[in-house]
Structures are given as C-alpha cells and as structure tokens.
Amino acid sequence: MLSCRLLLALLLVAGLASPAPAFEAGRAGWPDTALARLQAYALVQTLNAELLSNPSATLTLDRWCAAHRLAPAGAKVVADRVRDADKPADAGIRELLGAGPQERVVYRRVRLACGGLVLSEADNWYRPALLSEEMNRELETTDTAFGRVVRPLGFSRSTLSARLLWQPLPEGWEMGAPIPAASGGPLDMPDFLLEHRAVLKLPDGRPLSALVETYTRGILAFPPPP
C-alpha cells in the first residue's frame, strides 16, 4: 500500500490538471470533490504518522502549524487551560500511571492552539511526585503546554490507540469502491478528526502522564493543495 506521503504527492500532481477552487480566508474552504477527499485523508494520516513517531504532540503541532502557515511566522502552540474542568483519576488511569490509591494524580485539560486556532483538546492526568517543584509550579500557575514543561525529563511516548474520527472516503475505496461524487458545496468536516490515547514515560520506564488527545478540523484550516 502507498505511504501517506507518496499518496499525497501523487494527489498533488493529479490536482494540477484542474483549476484550484476559491479559498475563503479564515476557514477551511475545502470543496466536496473526490480529489479533496483524497487529499484530506492523506493529510490527516500524515499528521497521524508524525504524532506516532514523536514523543511530544506539542512540538509536532508546532511544526505542523509552521509548515501549513496556520498562524503568523514564528507562532508557537500554546495551551489554553480549561480551569473549571475536573476528572479525578479512576482505577484505569491509575493503573496506566502505576500510581497507588493514595498517590496524588493531577488532572489538566487544555486546548492547544496556534495563532488562536485550536488544533487539539487534551485530557491529561499526571504524577506531580515525578516532576520538579519548578515544573509543578509552572503547570499549576501558567498555560504552558505540558510537553514544553517536562521536556527536560527526556520522556518517551507510548501510543495506546490512534483512531480516525472522520472517514472522508468510503470503506474499500482503495479496492475500487466509488468515492462520493462532487456535491458542488464545501466538504463537510466534523469538529474532531483524530483521537490519540497515550502514556508518557520517563527514561527509566516509569509512567509520567496519561493523555487523551482529540485533534480538531483546525489542522486542515488552510487552502487545499492546488
């Protein structure tokens, strides 16, 4: 099967044969065509692969934002904390973290945005006992993204699941199942396109954080490839 990057390259070449649709500034004005569906699928899978191969979702989104010009040059991903949210760690989360029933586990919910565009929403349960006092203070008092704060720990990422929440192509498309005909309108994307569940671990293997990350249609808020 073709890799996502090769598939995207072939689609871009194919797209040169037809005129590019108008793009409405400020929103993902993708047309509902077979080519656009293929391009959207390839791009979501490309981001999915990059997230799977890198320990920090924050730094991956930094690169995605810059590469696709989702914000002014130099913009970095920031974490907008949802301060009135609370989800105490249940037995399943504590098991993932290797945390005993008496150990303190902190919950943090954020929206990761680049230039004001929300790219993902994340639920994060972490073990403050494994962080420095300075790191805990920064997490508690600022909106700095978790990945930036704990980066000095040299953590790794173990993905538990990666799930597409939107299927722009019908099942069996790669075997010839027909792709929906162009509707003449915009491509209807749901609010969320991709979900990852992961555990961050210290170099010695101890679990540090359990994450549920949901990526928004903001990841495709740029003109479709011409």
Coordinates of all heavy atoms in Angstrom, one line a residue, residues 21-103:
P21 N -10.0 25.6 -6.5 CA -11.2 26.2 -6.1 C -10.8 27.4 -5.3 O -9.7 27.5 -4.7 CB -11.9 25.2 -5.3 CG -10.8 24.3 -4.8 CD -9.8 24.3 -5.8
A22 N -11.8 28.4 -5.2 CA -11.5 29.6 -4.3 C -11.5 29.2 -2.9 O -12.2 28.3 -2.4 CB -12.6 30.6 -4.6
F23 N -10.6 29.9 -2.1 CA -10.4 29.6 -0.7 C -10.9 30.8 0.1 O -10.6 31.9 -0.2 CB -8.9 29.3 -0.4 CG -8.7 29.2 1.1 CD1 -9.1 28.0 1.8 CD2 -8.1 30.2 1.8 CE1 -8.9 27.9 3.1 CE2 -7.9 30.1 3.2 CZ -8.2 28.9 3.8
E24 N -11.8 30.5 1.0 CA -12.3 31.6 1.8 C -11.4 31.8 3.0 O -11.2 30.9 3.8 CB -13.7 31.2 2.3 CG -14.7 31.1 1.2 CD -16.1 30.7 1.7 OE1 -16.5 31.2 2.8 OE2 -16.8 29.9 1.1
A25 N -10.8 33.0 3.1 CA -9.9 33.3 4.2 C -10.5 33.1 5.6 O -11.7 33.4 5.8 CB -9.4 34.7 4.1
G26 N -9.7 32.4 6.4 CA -10.2 32.3 7.8 C -10.9 31.0 8.1 O -11.3 30.7 9.2
R27 N -11.2 30.2 7.1 CA -11.8 28.9 7.3 C -11.4 27.9 6.3 O -10.8 28.2 5.2 CB -13.4 29.0 7.3 CG -13.9 29.6 6.0 CD -15.4 29.9 6.1 NE -16.1 28.6 6.2 CZ -16.9 28.1 5.3 NH1 -16.9 28.7 4.1 NH2 -17.5 26.9 5.4
A28 N -11.5 26.6 6.6 CA -11.1 25.6 5.8 C -12.1 25.4 4.6 O -12.9 24.5 4.7 CB -10.9 24.3 6.6
G29 N -11.9 26.2 3.5 CA -12.9 26.1 2.4 C -12.6 25.0 1.5 O -12.2 25.3 0.3
W30 N -12.6 23.8 1.9 CA -12.3 22.6 1.1 C -13.6 22.3 0.3 O -14.7 22.2 0.8 CB -11.9 21.4 1.9 CG -10.5 21.5 2.5 CD1 -10.1 22.4 3.4 CD2 -9.4 20.7 2.2 NE1 -8.8 22.2 3.7 CE2 -8.3 21.2 3.0 CE3 -9.2 19.6 1.4 CZ2 -7.1 20.6 3.0 CZ3 -8.0 19.0 1.3 CH2 -6.9 19.5 2.1
P31 N -13.4 22.1 -1.1 CA -14.6 21.7 -1.8 C -14.9 20.2 -1.6 O -14.1 19.4 -1.3 CB -14.2 21.9 -3.3 CG -12.7 21.7 -3.2 CD -12.2 22.2 -1.9
D32 N -16.2 19.8 -1.8 CA -16.6 18.4 -1.7 C -16.4 17.7 -3.0 O -17.3 17.6 -3.8 CB -18.0 18.4 -1.2 CG -18.5 16.9 -1.0 OD1 -17.6 16.0 -1.0 OD2 -19.6 16.7 -0.6
T33 N -15.1 17.4 -3.3 CA -14.8 16.6 -4.5 C -14.0 15.4 -4.1 O -13.5 15.3 -3.0 CB -13.9 17.5 -5.5 OG1 -12.7 17.7 -4.8 CG2 -14.6 18.8 -5.8
A34 N -13.9 14.5 -5.1 CA -13.2 13.2 -4.8 C -11.7 13.5 -4.5 O -11.1 13.0 -3.6 CB -13.3 12.3 -6.0
L35 N -11.1 14.5 -5.3 CA -9.7 14.8 -5.1 C -9.5 15.4 -3.7 O -8.6 15.0 -3.0 CB -9.2 15.8 -6.1 CG -7.8 16.3 -6.0 CD1 -6.8 15.1 -6.0 CD2 -7.5 17.3 -7.0
A36 N -10.4 16.3 -3.3 CA -10.3 16.9 -2.0 C -10.4 15.9 -0.9 O -9.7 16.0 0.2 CB -11.3 18.1 -1.8
R37 N -11.3 15.0 -1.0 CA -11.4 13.9 0.0 C -10.2 13.1 0.1 O -9.7 12.7 1.2 CB -12.6 13.0 -0.4 CG -14.0 13.7 -0.1 CD -15.1 12.8 -0.5 NE -16.4 13.3 -0.2 CZ -17.1 13.2 1.0 NH1 -16.5 12.4 1.9 NH2 -18.2 13.8 1.2
L38 N -9.6 12.8 -1.0 CA -8.3 12.0 -1.0 C -7.2 12.8 -0.3 O -6.4 12.3 0.5 CB -7.9 11.6 -2.4 CG -8.7 10.5 -3.1 CD1 -8.5 10.4 -4.6 CD2 -8.3 9.1 -2.5
Q39 N -7.1 14.1 -0.7 CA -6.1 15.0 -0.1 C -6.3 15.1 1.4 O -5.3 15.0 2.2 CB -6.1 16.3 -0.8 CG -5.7 16.3 -2.2 CD -5.9 17.6 -2.9 OE1 -6.9 18.3 -2.6 NE2 -5.0 18.0 -3.9
A40 N -7.5 15.3 1.9 CA -7.8 15.4 3.3 C -7.4 14.2 4.0 O -6.8 14.2 5.1 CB -9.3 15.8 3.5
Y41 N -7.8 13.0 3.4 CA -7.4 11.7 4.1 C -5.9 11.6 4.2 O -5.4 11.2 5.3 CB -8.0 10.6 3.2 CG -7.6 9.2 3.7 CD1 -8.3 8.6 4.8 CD2 -6.6 8.5 3.1 CE1 -8.0 7.4 5.2 CE2 -6.3 7.2 3.5 CZ -7.0 6.7 4.6 OH -6.6 5.4 5.0
A42 N -5.2 11.9 3.1 CA -3.7 11.8 3.1 C -3.1 12.7 4.2 O -2.2 12.4 4.9 CB -3.2 12.1 1.8
L43 N -3.6 13.9 4.3 CA -3.1 14.9 5.3 C -3.3 14.5 6.7 O -2.4 14.6 7.6 CB -3.6 16.3 5.0 CG -3.0 17.0 3.8 CD1 -3.9 18.1 3.3 CD2 -1.6 17.5 4.1
V44 N -4.5 14.0 7.0 CA -4.8 13.6 8.4 C -3.9 12.4 8.7 O -3.4 12.3 9.8 CB -6.3 13.2 8.5 CG1 -6.6 12.6 9.9 CG2 -7.2 14.5 8.4
Q45 N -3.8 11.4 7.8 CA -2.9 10.3 8.0 C -1.4 10.7 8.2 O -0.7 10.1 8.9 CB -3.0 9.3 6.9 CG -4.4 8.5 6.9 CD -4.4 7.5 8.0 OE1 -3.8 7.6 9.1 NE2 -5.2 6.4 7.8
T46 N -1.0 11.8 7.4 CA 0.3 12.3 7.6 C 0.6 12.8 9.0 O 1.6 12.5 9.7 CB 0.6 13.4 6.6 OG1 0.6 12.8 5.2 CG2 2.0 14.0 6.8
L47 N -0.4 13.6 9.5 CA -0.3 14.1 10.9 C -0.3 13.0 11.9 O 0.5 12.9 12.8 CB -1.4 15.1 11.2 CG -1.4 15.6 12.6 CD1 -0.1 16.3 13.0 CD2 -2.6 16.5 12.9
N48 N -1.2 12.0 11.6 CA -1.3 10.8 12.5 C 0.1 10.1 12.6 O 0.6 9.8 13.7 CB -2.3 9.9 11.9 CG -2.6 8.7 12.8 OD1 -2.6 8.8 14.1 ND2 -2.9 7.5 12.3
A49 N 0.8 9.9 11.4 CA 2.1 9.3 11.4 C 3.1 10.1 12.2 O 4.0 9.5 12.9 CB 2.5 9.0 10.0
E50 N 3.1 11.4 12.0 CA 4.0 12.2 12.7 C 3.8 12.2 14.2 O 4.8 12.2 15.0 CB 4.0 13.7 12.2 CG 4.5 13.8 10.7 CD 4.4 15.2 10.1 OE1 4.0 16.1 10.9 OE2 4.7 15.3 9.0
L51 N 2.6 12.2 14.7 CA 2.3 12.1 16.1 C 2.8 10.8 16.6 O 3.3 10.7 17.8 CB 0.8 12.3 16.3 CG 0.2 13.7 16.1 CD1 -1.3 13.6 16.0 CD2 0.6 14.6 17.2
L52 N 2.6 9.7 15.9 CA 3.0 8.4 16.3 C 4.5 8.2 16.4 O 5.0 7.4 17.2 CB 2.5 7.3 15.4 CG 0.9 7.1 15.4 CD1 0.5 6.2 14.3 CD2 0.5 6.5 16.8
S53 N 5.3 9.0 15.7 CA 6.7 8.9 15.6 C 7.5 9.9 16.4 O 8.7 9.9 16.4 CB 7.2 8.9 14.2 OG 6.9 10.1 13.6
N54 N 6.8 10.8 17.2 CA 7.4 11.8 18.0 C 6.9 11.8 19.4 O 5.7 11.5 19.6 CB 7.2 13.2 17.4 CG 8.0 13.4 16.1 OD1 9.1 13.7 16.1 ND2 7.3 13.2 15.0
P55 N 7.7 12.0 20.4 CA 7.3 11.9 21.8 C 6.4 13.1 22.2 O 5.5 12.9 23.1 CB 8.6 12.0 22.6 CG 9.6 12.6 21.7 CD 9.2 12.2 20.3
S56 N 6.5 14.3 21.6 CA 5.7 15.4 22.1 C 4.7 15.9 21.0 O 5.1 16.3 19.9 CB 6.7 16.6 22.4 OG 6.0 17.8 22.6
A57 N 3.4 15.8 21.4 CA 2.4 16.3 20.5 C 2.5 17.8 20.3 O 2.3 18.3 19.2 CB 1.0 15.9 21.0
T58 N 2.9 18.5 21.3 CA 3.1 20.0 21.2 C 4.1 20.4 20.2 O 3.8 21.2 19.3 CB 3.5 20.6 22.6 OG1 2.5 20.2 23.6 CG2 3.6 22.1 22.5
L59 N 5.3 19.7 20.2 CA 6.3 20.1 19.2 C 5.9 19.7 17.8 O 6.2 20.3 16.8 CB 7.6 19.5 19.6 CG 8.2 19.9 21.0 CD1 9.5 19.3 21.3 CD2 8.3 21.4 21.1
T60 N 5.2 18.5 17.7 CA 4.7 18.1 16.4 C 3.7 19.1 15.8 O 3.7 19.5 14.7 CB 4.0 16.7 16.5 OG1 4.9 15.8 17.0 CG2 3.4 16.3 15.2
L61 N 2.8 19.6 16.7 CA 1.9 20.7 16.2 C 2.6 22.0 15.9 O 2.1 22.7 15.0 CB 0.8 20.9 17.3 CG -0.2 19.7 17.5 CD1 -1.2 20.1 18.6 CD2 -1.0 19.4 16.1
D62 N 3.6 22.3 16.6 CA 4.5 23.5 16.3 C 4.9 23.4 14.8 O 4.7 24.3 14.0 CB 5.7 23.5 17.2 CG 5.5 24.2 18.5 OD1 4.5 24.9 18.7 OD2 6.3 24.0 19.4
R63 N 5.4 22.2 14.5 CA 5.9 22.0 13.1 C 4.8 22.0 12.1 O 4.9 22.6 11.0 CB 6.7 20.7 13.0 CG 8.0 20.7 13.8 CD 8.9 19.5 13.5 NE 8.3 18.3 14.1 CZ 8.5 17.8 15.3 NH1 9.3 18.5 16.1 NH2 7.9 16.7 15.7
W64 N 3.7 21.4 12.4 CA 2.5 21.4 11.5 C 2.0 22.8 11.3 O 1.7 23.1 10.2 CB 1.4 20.5 12.1 CG 0.2 20.2 11.2 CD1 -0.9 21.0 11.2 CD2 0.1 19.2 10.2 NE1 -1.8 20.5 10.3 CE2 -1.2 19.4 9.6 CE3 0.9 18.2 9.8 CZ2 -1.6 18.5 8.6 CZ3 0.5 17.4 8.8 CH2 -0.8 17.5 8.2
C65 N 1.9 23.6 12.3 CA 1.4 24.9 12.2 C 2.3 25.7 11.3 O 1.8 26.5 10.4 CB 1.3 25.6 13.6 SG 0.7 27.3 13.7
A66 N 3.6 25.6 11.5 CA 4.5 26.4 10.7 C 4.5 25.9 9.2 O 4.5 26.8 8.3 CB 5.9 26.3 11.2
A67 N 4.5 24.6 9.0 CA 4.6 24.1 7.7 C 3.3 24.4 6.8 O 3.4 24.6 5.6 CB 4.7 22.6 7.7
H68 N 2.2 24.6 7.5 CA 0.9 24.8 6.8 C 0.4 26.3 7.0 O -0.7 26.6 6.6 CB -0.1 23.8 7.2 CG 0.3 22.4 6.8 ND1 0.9 21.6 7.7 CD2 0.1 21.7 5.7 CE1 1.1 20.4 7.1 NE2 0.7 20.5 5.9
R69 N 1.3 27.1 7.6 CA 1.0 28.5 7.7 C -0.3 28.8 8.3 O -1.1 29.6 7.8 CB 1.1 29.2 6.3 CG 2.5 29.0 5.7 CD 2.6 29.6 4.3 NE 3.8 29.3 3.6 CZ 4.1 29.6 2.4 NH1 3.2 30.3 1.6 NH2 5.3 29.3 1.9
L70 N -0.6 28.1 9.4 CA -1.8 28.3 10.1 C -1.8 29.6 11.0 O -2.9 29.9 11.5 CB -2.1 27.1 11.0 CG -2.3 25.7 10.3 CD1 -2.5 24.6 11.3 CD2 -3.4 25.8 9.3
A71 N -0.7 30.2 11.2 CA -0.5 31.4 12.0 C 0.6 32.2 11.5 O 1.4 31.7 10.7 CB -0.3 30.9 13.5
P72 N 0.8 33.4 12.0 CA 2.0 34.2 11.5 C 3.3 33.5 11.8 O 3.4 32.7 12.8 CB 1.8 35.5 12.4 CG 0.4 35.6 12.6 CD -0.1 34.2 12.8
A73 N 4.3 33.8 11.0 CA 5.6 33.1 11.2 C 6.1 33.3 12.6 O 6.0 34.4 13.2 CB 6.6 33.8 10.2
G74 N 6.6 32.2 13.1 CA 7.2 32.2 14.5 C 6.2 31.9 15.6 O 6.6 31.7 16.7
A75 N 4.9 31.7 15.2 CA 3.9 31.4 16.3 C 4.2 30.0 16.8 O 4.5 29.1 16.1 CB 2.5 31.5 15.7
K76 N 4.0 29.8 18.1 CA 4.1 28.5 18.7 C 2.8 28.1 19.3 O 1.9 28.9 19.6 CB 5.2 28.6 19.8 CG 6.6 28.9 19.3 CD 7.1 27.8 18.5 CE 8.6 28.1 18.0 NZ 9.1 27.0 17.2
V77 N 2.7 26.8 19.5 CA 1.4 26.3 20.2 C 1.4 26.6 21.6 O 2.4 26.5 22.3 CB 1.4 24.7 20.0 CG1 0.3 24.1 20.8 CG2 1.2 24.4 18.5
V78 N 0.3 27.1 22.1 CA 0.1 27.5 23.5 C -1.1 26.7 24.0 O -2.0 26.2 23.3 CB -0.2 29.0 23.7 CG1 1.0 29.8 23.2 CG2 -1.4 29.4 22.9
A79 N -1.1 26.5 25.3 CA -2.1 25.7 26.0 C -3.1 26.6 26.7 O -2.8 27.3 27.6 CB -1.5 24.7 27.0
D80 N -4.4 26.6 26.2 CA -5.4 27.4 26.8 C -6.1 26.4 27.9 O -6.8 25.5 27.5 CB -6.4 27.8 25.8 CG -7.6 28.6 26.4 OD1 -7.5 29.0 27.5 OD2 -8.7 28.7 25.7
R81 N -5.8 26.6 29.1 CA -6.3 25.7 30.2 C -7.8 25.9 30.4 O -8.4 27.0 30.4 CB -5.6 26.0 31.5 CG -4.2 25.5 31.5 CD -3.5 25.7 32.8 NE -4.2 24.9 33.8 CZ -3.9 25.0 35.1 NH1 -3.0 25.9 35.6 NH2 -4.5 24.2 36.0
V82 N -8.5 24.8 30.6 CA -9.9 24.8 30.9 C -9.9 24.6 32.5 O -9.8 23.5 33.0 CB -10.7 23.7 30.2 CG1 -12.2 23.7 30.6 CG2 -10.5 23.8 28.7
R83 N -10.1 25.7 33.2 CA -9.8 25.7 34.6 C -11.0 25.2 35.5 O -10.8 24.8 36.6 CB -9.4 27.1 35.1 CG -8.1 27.6 34.4 CD -7.7 28.9 34.9 NE -6.5 29.4 34.2 CZ -5.3 29.1 34.6 NH1 -5.1 28.3 35.7 NH2 -4.2 29.5 33.9
D84 N -12.2 25.1 34.9 CA -13.3 24.6 35.7 C -13.6 23.1 35.5 O -14.6 22.6 35.9 CB -14.6 25.5 35.5 CG -15.0 25.4 34.0 OD1 -14.2 24.9 33.2 OD2 -16.1 25.9 33.7
A85 N -12.7 22.5 34.8 CA -12.9 21.0 34.5 C -12.1 20.2 35.5 O -11.0 20.5 35.9 CB -12.4 20.7 33.0
D86 N -12.7 19.1 35.8 CA -12.1 18.2 36.8 C -12.6 16.7 36.5 O -13.8 16.5 36.5 CB -12.3 18.5 38.2 CG -11.5 17.7 39.2 OD1 -10.5 17.2 38.8 OD2 -12.0 17.5 40.3
K87 N -11.6 15.8 36.3 CA -11.9 14.4 36.1 C -10.9 13.6 37.0 O -9.8 13.3 36.5 CB -11.8 14.0 34.6 CG -12.8 14.6 33.7 CD -12.5 14.1 32.3 CE -13.5 14.7 31.3 NZ -13.3 14.2 29.9
P88 N -11.3 13.3 38.2 CA -10.4 12.6 39.1 C -10.0 11.2 38.4 O -10.7 10.6 37.6 CB -11.3 12.3 40.3 CG -12.3 13.4 40.3 CD -12.6 13.6 38.8
A89 N -8.7 10.9 38.6 CA -8.2 9.6 38.0 C -8.9 8.4 38.6 O -9.0 8.2 39.8 CB -6.7 9.5 38.3
D90 N -9.5 7.6 37.7 CA -10.2 6.4 38.1 C -9.2 5.3 38.2 O -8.0 5.5 38.0 CB -11.4 6.1 37.2 CG -10.9 5.9 35.7 OD1 -9.7 5.6 35.5 OD2 -11.8 6.0 34.8
A91 N -9.7 4.1 38.5 CA -8.8 3.0 38.6 C -8.0 2.7 37.4 O -6.8 2.3 37.4 CB -9.6 1.7 39.1
G92 N -8.7 2.8 36.2 CA -8.0 2.6 34.9 C -6.8 3.5 34.7 O -5.8 3.1 34.2
I93 N -7.0 4.8 35.0 CA -6.0 5.8 34.8 C -4.8 5.5 35.8 O -3.6 5.6 35.4 CB -6.5 7.2 35.0 CG1 -7.5 7.6 33.9 CG2 -5.4 8.2 35.0 CD1 -6.9 7.7 32.5
R94 N -5.2 5.2 37.0 CA -4.1 4.9 38.0 C -3.3 3.7 37.6 O -2.1 3.6 37.8 CB -4.7 4.7 39.4 CG -5.2 6.1 40.0 CD -5.7 5.9 41.4 NE -6.0 7.2 42.0 CZ -5.1 8.0 42.5 NH1 -3.8 7.6 42.6 NH2 -5.4 9.2 43.0
E95 N -4.0 2.7 37.0 CA -3.2 1.5 36.6 C -2.3 1.9 35.4 O -1.1 1.4 35.4 CB -4.2 0.5 36.1 CG -3.5 -0.8 35.7 CD -4.5 -1.9 35.3 OE1 -5.8 -1.7 35.3 OE2 -4.1 -3.0 34.9
L96 N -2.7 2.7 34.5 CA -1.9 3.1 33.4 C -0.6 3.9 33.9 O 0.5 3.8 33.4 CB -2.6 4.0 32.4 CG -3.6 3.4 31.5 CD1 -4.3 4.5 30.7 CD2 -2.9 2.4 30.5
L97 N -0.8 4.7 35.0 CA 0.2 5.5 35.5 C 1.1 4.8 36.5 O 2.1 5.3 37.0 CB -0.4 6.8 36.2 CG -1.0 7.8 35.2 CD1 -1.6 8.9 36.0 CD2 0.1 8.4 34.3
G98 N 0.6 3.6 37.0 CA 1.4 2.9 38.0 C 1.3 3.6 39.3 O 2.2 3.6 40.1
A99 N 0.2 4.3 39.6 CA 0.0 5.2 40.8 C -0.9 4.4 41.8 O -1.9 3.9 41.4 CB -0.6 6.5 40.4
G100 N -0.4 4.4 43.0 CA -1.2 3.7 44.1 C -2.4 4.5 44.4 O -2.5 5.7 44.0
P101 N -3.3 4.0 45.2 CA -4.6 4.6 45.5 C -4.4 5.9 46.4 O -5.2 6.8 46.3 CB -5.4 3.6 46.3 CG -4.3 2.6 46.8 CD -3.3 2.6 45.8
Q102 N -3.2 6.0 47.0 CA -3.0 7.2 47.9 C -2.1 8.3 47.2 O -2.0 9.4 47.7 CB -2.3 6.8 49.2 CG -3.1 5.8 50.0 CD -4.5 6.2 50.3 OE1 -4.7 7.4 50.6 NE2 -5.5 5.3 50.1
E103 N -1.5 7.9 46.0 CA -0.7 8.9 45.3 C -1.5 10.0 44.7 O -2.6 9.7 44.1 CB 0.2 8.2 44.3 CG 1.1 9.2 43.6 CD 2.0 8.5 42.5 OE1 2.1 7.3 42.5 OE2 2.7 9.2 41.8

